[in-house]
Amino acid sequence: MKISLWAAIIVLLFASCNNTTPEQKTSGTTTETAPVSTMSSGFSELAALPFETNRPTAAQSKLLKDQLLFQRACQTYLWAMPLVNTLGMKEGSEKVFGAGYHVLPVWKKRLDAKTLVTTPNSDVIYAMSYIDVGKDGPMVFDAPPMLQGILLDFWQRPIPVDDGRHFGDVGFFGPDEGKGGKFLILPPGYTGKAPKGYFVYRSATNNVFIFLRAFYQVPTDLSPAVSLMEKVKIYPLGKEKTARPMQYPDGSGIAANMLPARDFSAFEQLKRLVDSEEPANIGSPDWMGMLAGIGIIKGQPFSPAVADKDILDKAARTAYKMSRMIAFSDTVSGRSFYMYPNRQWVNPMTGATPDNISGPFTKNLSWQRKEGGYMDLNTRIWFFSDYYSWSPGMASQTPGKGAKYVVAFRDKEGDYLDPSANNKVNLPPNVPAANFWSLTLYESENASGYDNGQPFPSLGSRDKPVPNADGSTDLYIGPQAPEGKTANWLKTIPGKGYFAILRLYGPTEKAIDNSWFPGDFEKAK
């Protein structure tokens, strides 16, 4: 056995990510993948590696050592997917807009396709910030009324509130009930007495992600929502008067890459996180051991040899493709994500009810299964490959509150959405959304907003598409608008794959009980 087998195995591993052929059966069944014969033979050769006198030769040891590094790096990347997602946003944002608790980028003219970030919503005003309560101490998030936001740790787990009833939410779904107030974010293990007058959030990580939304009424006047964002203040506890003055840079129209890293830099980002003020329990001892196994140890240099760096780079690229494979699945960890009978729309929270908004997961929305108590890694990977941040408020099943998202990867026939085809989606009359609805297109490659040359890759109720005579609405998605249908059209680019999310803000009863549901993508006649 020669060392060149290692290169062949790497090629085969990449083939497993790129060359499989998904074969979707009828709606409601699992997705099957056709076997790749070369992949099987590659694993077989590795498993049958012949040792001499039951011991590896020097060449075989090198091969297996490299394989071990590659496998550990792949699994570490996938385990750390929420961290990789958050770090991509943080470092991408800070590179363009600056760093510090006082920097709150606001997408003042809505978020367009120039900002690369997973599945943004172009139909609200966004603001995102990143703070470190280990470095700067307990922090105050001072919010005006009528805001909607989430405070998350760097695993993007909603931060629990001392009242025992809320997790992460601020504003409408938080303890302030939309009245605004001062929210105190405490670091892990904080033992001091929290002062009165604050809603107290206790983070499990020193690094904290602040994600905010403000809603506008008409697309032609965004100023009230922007003004609301610019009332937000963030400062160290007890230092409001001496804190650095807030900055609200405008993110609209600015090229910023806030996507998860998918090369060696992902491990460099994890190393910086481990070396920061984070506590040692950023991961369990086992997973800290996995990090150590690829060279990431707090306080120690991370400078792999050229050959090892190349393996880590390939591992990150492969793991990212594995995450995309999971992210396009309709059945994950044995659970079907289909939302409606005989429809292709999916969501990982299928089965959630008003009395059980977290479905099979624990109420803190950490992706831990109630039954069995284990972390559902594949569902977590599914979510953080294509999305970021959620909370009980977002998952609310209370009529008129929260939001309901359904995702389309495939058309009525079960095929991936074809950017060369002209498709139609029918929304039956009386869309059950108390606030608004929108359909948004996203890049299949990386889940960022679909760069189709239109100002925004979304179309919704506030854009006033033309309804049909029966009150339903047809949306047209394809390279060309049907004659007279431009107001109802989203453009696609042949060769540029996409998927779609239908959002219902303030879903009412028929959305919650699934008695109203959208039509599938189907070829427009």
Side-chain angles (χ1 to χ4, degrees):
M1 179 65 65
K2 296 183 179 180
I3 194 66
S4 60
L5 176 60
W6 166 242
I9 291 173
I10 286 291
V11 170
L12 295 172
L13 284 167
F14 274 108
S16 73
C17 297
N18 289 316
N19 297 332
T20 54
T21 305
E23 296 178 351
Q24 173 79 3
K25 291 188 176 180
T26 57
S27 179
T29 63
T30 59
T31 302
E32 294 182 355
T33 302
V36 179
S37 59
T38 55
M39 182 175 69
S40 299
S41 65
F43 290 138
S44 297
E45 288 181 26
L46 189 63
L49 196 65
F51 284 178
E52 296 181 6
T53 63
N54 297 320
R55 288 167 291 196
T57 64
Q60 291 170 337
S61 293
K62 178 66 166 60
L63 169 65
L64 292 170
K65 182 179 178 181
D66 288 349
Q67 180 69 219
L68 180 60
L69 178 62
F70 181 84
Q71 292 187 13
R72 280 181 171 167
C74 281
Q75 294 307 314
T76 298
Y77 182 102
L78 293 168
W79 161 76
M81 197 72 218
L83 294 176
V84 174
N85 183 296
T86 318
L87 289 166
M89 289 191 290
K90 175 183 184 291
E91 296 200 6
S93 175
E94 292 179 349
K95 182 178 180 179
V96 177
F97 304 116
Y101 63 78
H102 64 300
V103 179
L104 180 64
V106 180
W107 280 260
K108 300 179 184 180
K109 293 180 283 292
R110 300 165 62 183
L111 198 152
D112 59 30
K114 286 191 175 182
T115 298
L116 303 181
V117 66
T118 51
T119 53
N121 184 352
S122 296
D123 297 294
V124 297
I125 298 300
Y126 268 14
M128 292 181 267
S129 183
Y130 315 87
I131 63 174
D132 187 340
V133 293
K135 181 180 68 175
D136 296 315
M139 298 292 291
V140 177
F141 170 71
D142 193 341
M146 304 302 290
L147 192 70
Q148 180 175 323
I150 314 173
L151 305 180
L152 304 115
D153 69 20
F154 253 42
W155 281 101
Q156 295 197 49
R157 298 170 295 203
I159 299 175
V161 184
D162 270 5
D163 65 7
R165 296 183 296 111
H166 293 89
F167 294 87
D169 287 308
V170 299
F172 295 122
F173 304 109
D176 62 308
E177 298 179 341
K179 299 174 184 176
K182 295 183 178 182
F183 303 81
L184 179 60
I185 307 168
L186 298 176
Y190 184 82
T191 57
K193 186 176 181 180
K196 294 182 179 180
Y198 297 87
F199 302 107
V200 180
Y201 292 62
R202 298 180 186 271
S203 178
T205 62
N206 281 320
N207 285 275
V208 171
F209 173 39
I210 299 175
F211 177 39
L212 308 176
R213 295 185 183 95
F215 297 89
Y216 56 84
Q217 298 302 312
V218 293
T220 54
D221 186 10
L222 307 177
S223 56
V226 173
S227 176
L228 186 67
M229 285 293 194
E230 292 180 341
K231 290 182 172 65
V232 169
K233 306 292 181 185
I234 304 171
Y235 51 85
L237 178 64
K239 298 179 181 179
E240 179 177 3
K241 294 182 178 179
T242 58
R244 303 177 71 178
M246 290 295 297
Q247 297 177 10
Y248 308 96
D250 186 358
S252 295
I254 304 297
N257 186 351
M258 298 167 58
L259 292 169
R262 45 179 154 167
D263 56 16
F264 176 73
S265 67
F267 298 116
E268 292 179 306
Q269 290 178 351
L270 288 170
K271 170 59 173 171
R272 286 191 287 272
L273 180 67
V274 168
D275 279 347
S276 71
E277 297 295 328
E278 279 303 343
N281 63 349
I282 188 71
S284 69
D286 283 347
W287 279 106
M288 297 306 288
M290 287 287 280
L291 284 168
I294 62 174
I296 298 176
I297 303 172
K298 184 178 180 69
Q300 296 188 19
F302 178 55
S303 53
V306 172
D308 287 349
K309 182 177 179 179
D310 183 62
I311 292 171
L312 292 173
D313 182 77
K314 287 182 170 63
R317 294 176 187 276
T318 303
Y320 181 80
K321 291 190 176 185
M322 290 174 174
S323 78
R324 304 301 299 146
M325 174 273 296
I326 293 171
F328 282 108
S329 300
D330 53 60
T331 299
V332 180
S333 299
R335 293 177 61 239
S336 170
F337 285 3
Y338 286 116
M339 289 295 292
Y340 315 110
N342 303 314
R343 290 291 189 275
Q344 296 288 343
W345 297 93
V346 298
N347 183 289
M349 294 309 295
T350 180
T353 66
D355 296 328
N356 180 26
I357 64 169
S358 60
F361 305 106
T362 54
K363 68 178 183 178
N364 64 352
L365 303 184
S366 67
W367 303 105
Q368 182 179 346
R369 287 286 195 107
K370 293 175 184 175
E371 186 175 350
Y374 63 89
M375 183 61 64
D376 190 336
L377 287 174
N378 277 357
T379 300
R380 191 170 76 175
I381 292 165
W382 190 100
F383 190 89
F384 289 104
S385 295
D386 276 345
Y387 317 95
Y388 63 90
S389 84
W390 71 325
S391 70
M394 287 183 64
S396 172
Q397 299 280 313
T398 302
K401 295 186 177 181
K404 183 165 187 172
Y405 300 172
V406 288
V407 186
F409 297 124
R410 299 177 181 272
D411 63 18
K412 184 178 181 179
E413 304 303 320
D415 299 319
Y416 280 133
L417 299 179
D418 181 358
S420 301
N422 288 305
N423 282 291
K424 180 181 74 172
V425 173
N426 177 261
L427 303 181
N430 303 312
V431 179
N435 296 330
F436 68 92
W437 61 262
S438 67
L439 182 78
T440 307
L441 307 185
Y442 296 99
E443 303 271 358
S444 292
E445 178 190 2
N446 54 31
S448 62
Y450 193 68
D451 190 1
N452 62 359
Q454 293 178 312
F456 303 101
S458 67
L459 181 64
S461 54
R462 291 176 302 189
D463 300 308
K464 302 192 182 304
V466 179
N468 299 321
D470 64 357
S472 69
T473 302
D474 287 330
L475 304 180
Y476 297 89
I477 302 94
Q480 296 178 333
E483 185 175 354
K485 303 295 185 181
T486 303
N488 293 40
W489 171 63
L490 283 171
K491 183 178 182 179
T492 61
I493 309 296
K496 184 190 286 284
Y498 73 97
F499 65 96
I501 297 180
L502 177 67
R503 291 177 170 89
L504 308 180
Y505 269 95
T508 54
E509 287 86 350
K510 289 188 176 182
I512 291 171
D513 66 15
N514 290 342
S515 59
W516 181 98
F517 47 85
D520 279 326
F521 279 69
E522 56 183 312
K523 300 297 188 292
K525 297 179 181 179

